[in-house]
Amino acid sequence: MADNFPELLDTRGLRFAIDDGFSWVVANYGDTLERLLAPLLKLLGAMEAFLQWLPWYVTIAGIALLTYSASRNLRMTGSAIVMLFFIGAVGLWNDAMATVALMLAATVVAVVVGIPLGIVMARSDRLRSIALPLLNIMQTLPIFVYLIPFVMLFGPGKIPAILATVFFAIPPVIRLTDLGIRQVDGEVVEAIVAFGATPSQKLVKVQIPLALPTIMAGINQTTMMALSMVVIASMIGAGGLGYQVLQGIQRLEVSRGLVAGIAIVFLAVIFDRIAQSYGRRAQKHLEHGE
């Protein structure tokens, strides 16, 4: 038998310190944090209630219209309708709407926070040198690791589920916003500055419009990562289609897990096509404008 690697560092003290630190935060600031995040929970609850209240045919018509407006493709629109009909036909409509609500809420928060952070990163090389390693770590951490601190802070439920989803899904939109702005042609930026544009005008009228296709790619990746995390978040009370997959694992029901998994894939395909189509249209509009 091979010798074990010698224990050179005793990490117990560090681990105990981290755990005690989280316990201290929970004891002293847990209620405050819950009050601060109450509006986010209300937003999620309102979105979920609205999507489940909305008649299924209205929802399908709305998503079909959104798909067609993005793609201008009847075949893509028809396939989206068929996939949504499948989700409803197998009895997973309400679970799917709960999943969509959590995904959309997490994506909105990630985009609202991530795009400004990406803009700030694009303006500071020092900040970028610090942020990129952190974003790399965030994208390579195992998904389950995100659940632990938020469950310690808030207990099982929708708040830790949406926070874990936001933290897991936010790196792409930050990175690609930074990348898109940095890739804007320097001569174009210099030209508008020469005409007397302020920094805010330079950002709003030149950098963001020219970086929009790259930013849209980041939003697309964030949306897909949010949807994948929503499934894992079912383990801490997120509900939705992920809960059906979890039930399939716990009860060893292959059919339940398979059908719910197919429904998740269909949602991912629909939203991925919508986001990609809008990104391509933004790119074509930009090229046409040039």
Side-chain angles (χ1 to χ4, degrees):
M1 180 179 178
D3 292 335
N4 291 328
F5 193 90
E7 187 175 342
L8 302 177
L9 298 174
D10 187 359
T11 61
R12 288 176 296 179
L14 176 61
R15 288 189 285 112
F16 289 153
I18 293 173
D19 293 341
D20 291 342
F22 268 97
S23 298
W24 181 83
V25 171
V26 171
N28 291 277
Y29 298 102
D31 293 338
T32 303
L33 290 172
E34 286 192 4
R35 285 195 296 271
L36 289 174
L37 292 169
L40 183 59
L41 184 61
K42 288 182 179 179
L43 171 65
L44 175 60
M47 291 178 65
E48 184 175 330
F50 175 74
L51 288 174
Q52 292 181 340
W53 167 82
L54 206 62
W56 61 269
Y57 47 86
V58 175
T59 302
I60 291 179
I63 294 177
L65 182 62
L66 186 63
T67 305
Y68 182 75
S69 68
S71 65
R72 297 292 194 272
N73 187 310
L74 288 175
R75 180 178 297 179
M76 189 178 297
T77 304
S79 65
I81 293 172
V82 170
M83 287 186 279
L84 290 170
F85 262 111
F86 170 84
I87 293 172
V90 296
L92 294 176
W93 186 259
N94 284 340
D95 288 321
M97 293 303 101
T99 297
V100 169
L102 182 55
M103 180 200 72
L104 290 178
T107 301
V108 167
V109 174
V111 169
V112 168
V113 175
I115 289 179
L117 288 177
I119 293 171
V120 174
M121 263 180 63
R123 292 184 170 185
S124 172
D125 291 335
R126 175 177 291 183
L127 178 60
R128 189 173 194 259
S129 65
I130 297 171
L132 283 180
L134 292 176
L135 293 174
N136 290 337
I137 292 171
M138 290 175 68
Q139 286 192 280
T140 53
L141 274 176
I143 295 177
F144 291 97
V145 174
Y146 285 92
L147 304 180
I148 301 170
F150 295 114
V151 172
M152 285 187 65
L153 288 171
F154 303 104
K158 292 186 180 294
I159 288 182
I162 193 171
L163 289 177
T165 303
V166 169
F167 271 80
F168 176 70
I170 201 172
V173 72
I174 297 176
R175 297 174 72 112
L176 289 175
T177 299
D178 166 61
L179 180 64
I181 291 177
R182 286 177 178 271
Q183 287 181 335
V184 172
D185 191 342
E187 293 182 358
V188 176
V189 176
E190 290 176 3
I192 193 172
V193 171
F195 280 104
T198 63
S200 60
Q201 289 174 329
K202 177 181 72 174
L203 176 67
V204 173
K205 294 185 177 181
V206 174
Q207 291 177 311
I208 289 180
L210 293 178
L212 189 59
T214 305
I215 294 173
M216 286 298 301
I219 293 174
N220 180 38
Q221 289 187 27
T222 290
T223 304
M224 294 302 99
M225 292 181 70
L227 184 56
S228 67
M229 186 61 179
V230 162
V231 178
I232 305 300
S234 66
M235 298 182 64
I236 57 172
L241 292 171
Y243 180 72
Q244 295 296 327
V245 176
L246 184 63
Q247 288 284 88
I249 295 172
Q250 292 174 338
R251 301 178 182 181
L252 299 180
E253 293 179 359
V254 178
S255 58
R256 180 190 292 265
L258 179 62
V259 172
I262 292 173
I264 293 167
V265 170
F266 283 173
L267 288 179
V269 169
I270 292 169
F271 284 101
D272 179 62
R273 287 178 175 177
I274 292 173
Q276 284 196 17
S277 297
Y278 273 117
R280 284 194 293 268
R281 287 187 63 194
Q283 182 68 50
K284 289 179 180 178
H285 178 74
L286 179 62
E287 293 173 353
H288 181 73
E290 291 175 351

